[in-house]
Amino acid sequence: MCPNCRAFVTSSDRVCPYCDVKIGARAIDRRTSPSGMIAGFIPNAKFTISMILLVNFALYLASMAFAAKATGSSFDLPGTVLYRLGAKYGPSIAAGEWWRLVTAGALHGGMFHLLMNSWALFDLGSQVEEIYGSSRLILLYVLSTIGGFYASYLWSPVLSVGSSAGIFGLIGVMIALGVGTRSALGDHVKSLYIRWAVYGLLFGLMPFFHIDNAAHIGGLAVGFGLGWLVGLPNLINENREALIRWLSYASLAVAVGCFALMFRQLVGS
């Protein structure tokens, strides 16, 4: 697929026959290819989403360790442990701990919660990374997580965790792609991910699962808006691509800073 006009081309084409843009090596390789030893262990087109999953699993192991120390059971994660590690909690956010809007997205309340979200995140995130590239994925995922948990903060003060706010953000991104692609393929993408969103929100209405649908709706709205705004990578508009790249660096810096603040409070408590 041509990275500029999205027309289908052959693998031997070096210039798109439709828009005359040079194609050369696959644009996705340039957007997502990691360097160094780590590239040999993680597939290039899934590098960023694999790093996000690695952080989620690492924090879950940390949660188990803290739970074992606090309760004697590493599989029973009490709210106090999740709170210490950065769960979204309305009164604390209102008191200035805004970093919880990011850290809550990397925490999970149990193994089933983690595995279900990891499956959805890897499946969906890999598609978004292949289509939009790493810079857009980082920007979209971080801001969707913040937007989702901010909506949750406005809706309810109770404790909340999970990567599903960011996952719903990526669903919103794919819906925006389908809406913006005026073709049978675009209609298929749009209907597929609208079904994903509807099923996810209906699942969230089941009271015994204690699912934070406000975070889902907030993430979905932010993801759709940002997906529509940033659009697909465009090799012609280099200034726009440079801006998005720097915005992704800024969002990554914000995320790292949030985890640093969480760690500082954890050590001090």
Side-chain angles (χ1 to χ4, degrees):
M1 184 178 287
C2 171
N4 179 55
C5 69
R6 316 306 292 176
F8 287 104
V9 296
T10 69
S11 59
S12 61
D13 284 327
R14 290 296 173 263
V15 176
C16 176
Y18 302 99
C19 67
D20 295 325
V21 166
K22 290 184 179 180
I23 299 174
R26 292 179 67 229
I28 188 64
D29 293 336
R30 294 197 298 273
R31 293 200 304 270
T32 64
S33 177
S35 60
M37 292 178 61
I38 204 167
F41 298 97
I42 300 176
N44 289 1
K46 299 178 177 65
F47 177 75
T48 304
I49 206 67
S50 297
M51 292 297 100
I52 294 172
L53 288 169
L54 185 62
V55 170
N56 291 353
F57 274 91
L59 279 176
Y60 185 73
L61 292 176
S63 302
M64 292 175 63
F66 276 97
K69 184 177 179 180
T71 67
S73 172
S74 60
F75 293 98
D76 179 24
L77 300 181
T80 53
V81 169
L82 295 174
Y83 174 79
R84 289 186 65 195
L85 289 171
K88 170 244 143 182
Y89 183 60
S92 295
I93 293 174
E97 295 180 2
W98 53 268
W99 44 268
R100 293 180 179 272
L101 298 175
V102 172
T103 56
L107 297 170
H108 292 84
M111 181 60 74
F112 179 74
H113 188 203
L114 174 67
L115 292 178
M116 286 296 294
N117 277 356
S118 297
W119 167 73
L121 182 57
F122 186 77
D123 187 26
L124 178 60
S126 298
Q127 296 178 48
V128 173
E129 187 168 5
E130 289 176 358
I131 295 170
Y132 285 89
S134 293
S135 293
R136 280 171 169 78
L137 173 64
I138 293 169
L139 178 65
L140 295 166
Y141 186 77
V142 172
L143 294 185
S144 294
T145 298
I146 293 173
F149 280 107
Y150 184 71
S152 174
Y153 159 71
L154 295 176
W155 179 261
S156 170
V158 301
L159 207 72
S160 179
V161 295
S163 57
S164 53
I167 291 170
F168 269 81
L170 299 184
I171 292 174
V173 170
M174 295 302 289
I175 294 174
L177 173 65
V179 170
T181 305
R182 301 182 182 277
S183 65
L185 177 61
D187 291 340
H188 173 72
V189 170
K190 178 178 65 177
S191 63
L192 172 65
Y193 288 100
I194 286 177
R195 288 198 300 272
W196 271 52
V198 171
Y199 295 155
L201 293 174
L202 289 177
F203 187 72
L205 294 176
M206 299 179 182
F208 44 85
F209 281 120
H210 305 290
I211 293 174
D212 189 351
N213 249 355
H216 294 175
I217 294 171
L220 183 69
V222 172
F224 179 84
L226 287 174
W228 185 268
L229 185 65
V230 304
L232 292 166
N234 187 327
L235 299 183
I236 293 178
N237 195 338
E238 294 183 1
N239 291 334
R240 180 168 174 263
E241 295 306 305
L243 174 61
I244 291 174
R245 190 162 55 251
W246 281 105
L247 288 174
S248 74
Y249 296 157
S251 64
L252 184 60
V254 167
V256 172
C258 288
F259 284 105
L261 290 171
M262 177 270 286
F263 182 73
R264 186 179 71 174
Q265 176 166 292
L266 185 64
V267 171
S269 61

